Amino acid sequence: MRGDSAPELRQILDEDGQLRDDAVVPDLTDDELLELFRMLKLARHYDERAIKLQRQGRMGTYSPIAGQEAGHAASAFALSGDDWILPSHRADIASRIRGLGLEFHLMYCMGMERGNRIPEDTPVFPVTLPIATQIPHAVGMAWASKYMGSDRVFMPYFGDGGTSEGDFHEGLNFAGVFDTPTVFFINNNQWAISIGPDQQTKSRTLAQKADAYGFEGVRVDGMDPLAVYQVTHEAIEKARDPPEGELRPTLIEALTYRFGPHTTSDDPSVYREDEELERWEQRDPIPRMETFLRDTGRLDAELLETIEQQVADEVNEAIDIAESVDRPEPTNMFDHTFAEPTPRLQAQREELQMLREEYGDDAFTH
């Protein structure tokens, strides 16, 4: 009987970075394992710099990723070829792995439309800020691709809050009915802004929601990079070539934690306890991966220093590129909504212009 038990939590590394009993390291070369580690470090460093940019008034609202690096990086690392991702606003490192420079995400956060103008031949859908709306898009793209005879896989990213949206259920139902090559990736970071898991759903896990739609749900330690890579790799292989009697889609629930606020406009101290954060910080994916690489002779102090310098250089370059682009006029946001602005839109445009003249643009950045 489907749904009578919760899926097991898949793990390869324990919280101390040691290989768990009977666990098998994914089939990755030493260089690939080091590159995955570099992406984790890049995500953390980029996150720290982006928060500072926002605090300095050089960027708008930003959604921190600290704690969730493995969920985004290791899953995107498992994709290949022309496989597509459909990112949420927090999946900047997944987009980077699929070929989109970090400067695009910075420009997006700086309010520049061109930050979401994805270059051709880059299999990344524009960043989706509305919750879960990219899920039906992913399924539709996967269905069309399947009809065209392609073996591409489509992976939308969303958080635990997205599973409460109608688009989530419509998308998964459609994926099951039409057997689309879609891997649904949930970063279950425990908090939908300030709403905890008990108030979001009465299901014991999010992964088992897949039962309702006829395909597999998988639950993985989202702070274990090797486990995330392995379960995503298996889901992608099944999406391309499912065993007889099984459907192509998979719903992956990555159990993780958002160390920081939901966005730089949020204050998590008003709705969660410090002890909870301290418990989850013991599972930090980056020290776990670093310990594994050091213990297995793949990483030493000299190579770590090289990686950290590479990461700093890449982020600096992305910031320089983004800040070298002329900022658009704030009123430009009204120019491309309709061919002819509605009276209400025109009134909003005039009001913004009046406020700028009265208070100056600095009043909107602090």
Side-chain angles (χ1 to χ4, degrees):
M1 177 179 173
R2 285 187 178 276
D4 59 348
S5 61
E8 65 170 332
L9 186 69
R10 299 274 299 274
Q11 290 180 308
I12 292 178
L13 296 178
D14 66 18
E15 292 183 15
D16 297 323
Q18 304 299 312
L19 204 62
R20 295 181 65 86
D21 292 342
D22 301 325
V24 176
V25 177
D27 186 18
L28 292 168
T29 66
D30 290 352
D31 286 345
E32 288 170 333
L33 288 167
L34 287 168
E35 178 62 9
L36 174 56
F37 176 65
R38 194 175 77 84
M39 288 296 111
L40 297 174
K41 296 282 285 184
L42 178 64
R44 181 66 58 89
H45 184 70
Y46 174 76
D47 193 63
E48 293 167 350
R49 290 296 309 276
I51 292 172
K52 289 178 181 175
L53 290 175
Q54 194 279 332
R55 300 304 190 213
Q56 294 165 356
R58 295 158 67 185
M59 195 168 78
T61 300
Y62 170 74
S63 303
I65 191 178
Q68 299 183 62
E69 293 91 345
H72 292 288
S75 57
F77 208 77
L79 294 163
S80 62
D82 295 330
D83 295 338
W84 276 72
I85 64 167
L86 291 89
S88 64
H89 53 107
R90 215 183 295 274
D92 36 272
I93 196 62
S95 298
R96 162 66 181 80
I97 290 172
R98 297 305 296 151
L100 191 68
L102 290 172
E103 63 271 19
F104 282 87
H105 188 256
L106 287 169
M107 287 190 286
Y108 171 80
C109 295
M110 291 175 180
M112 289 184 266
E113 182 188 4
R114 69 191 68 184
N116 240 347
R117 193 179 300 162
I118 311 300
E120 290 187 15
D121 302 325
T122 304
V124 176
F125 198 74
V127 172
T128 304
L129 192 57
I131 306 303
T133 56
Q134 73 275 36
I135 297 174
H137 297 158
V139 177
M141 291 169 72
W143 192 31
S145 179
K146 179 183 171 186
Y147 262 111
M148 294 169 67
S150 168
D151 67 350
R152 287 179 293 189
V153 175
F154 296 78
M155 187 158 68
Y157 288 92
F158 47 99
D160 38 311
T163 65
S164 301
E165 297 287 338
D167 282 335
F168 168 80
H169 300 283
E170 293 162 8
L172 267 67
N173 187 58
F174 201 95
V177 170
F178 295 99
D179 192 23
T180 64
T182 318
V183 177
F184 303 93
F185 199 97
I186 309 168
N187 274 291
N188 181 0
N189 68 22
Q190 311 302 310
W191 290 96
I193 306 183
S194 59
I195 303 299
D198 291 344
Q199 295 174 277
Q200 295 185 53
T201 181
K202 293 305 176 187
S203 298
R204 280 180 292 171
T205 71
L206 300 180
Q208 68 194 106
K209 290 177 182 285
D211 288 344
Y213 305 106
F215 53 84
E216 186 180 16
V218 178
R219 200 166 188 240
V220 63
D221 180 349
M223 303 172 89
D224 176 350
L226 298 186
V228 171
Y229 172 85
Q230 187 61 36
V231 301
T232 312
H233 174 73
E234 291 169 1
I236 291 167
E237 291 296 302
K238 190 177 68 174
R240 296 196 209 284
D241 185 20
E244 187 174 347
E246 292 193 34
L247 296 179
R248 296 173 187 272
T250 300
L251 175 65
I252 297 175
E253 176 190 2
L255 200 65
T256 182
Y257 197 76
R258 161 169 53 80
F259 291 163
H262 173 68
T263 70
T264 46
S265 301
D266 175 40
D267 177 8
S269 68
V270 301
Y271 57 81
R272 72 182 189 193
E273 302 295 331
D274 290 344
E275 292 76 13
E276 177 182 298
L277 172 62
E278 291 167 5
R279 283 199 309 274
W280 282 94
E281 284 179 333
Q282 301 303 311
R283 307 179 187 182
D284 192 327
I286 297 177
R288 288 167 77 171
M289 187 70 176
E290 181 176 333
T291 298
F292 166 74
L293 293 173
R294 283 181 179 274
D295 288 353
T296 55
R298 295 178 170 96
L299 181 69
D300 57 25
E302 183 178 358
L303 182 53
L304 178 60
E305 185 176 349
T306 300
I307 289 172
E308 289 176 341
Q309 187 60 54
Q310 290 173 345
V311 162
D313 290 345
E314 181 171 341
V315 173
N316 284 336
E317 183 179 0
I319 293 172
D320 288 344
I321 293 172
E323 292 196 320
S324 69
V325 178
D326 291 337
R327 304 290 181 99
E329 276 292 304
T331 51
N332 284 4
M333 71 175 117
F334 300 102
D335 293 342
H336 307 294
T337 307
F338 299 103
E340 296 291 335
T342 63
R344 186 173 183 179
L345 206 61
Q346 183 61 27
Q348 292 176 356
R349 191 183 202 281
E350 292 170 358
E351 183 181 6
L352 175 60
Q353 187 59 31
M354 180 190 69
L355 292 170
R356 292 179 66 203
E357 291 171 0
E358 184 172 354
Y359 298 106
D361 285 345
D362 285 347
F364 297 91
T365 58
H366 297 286

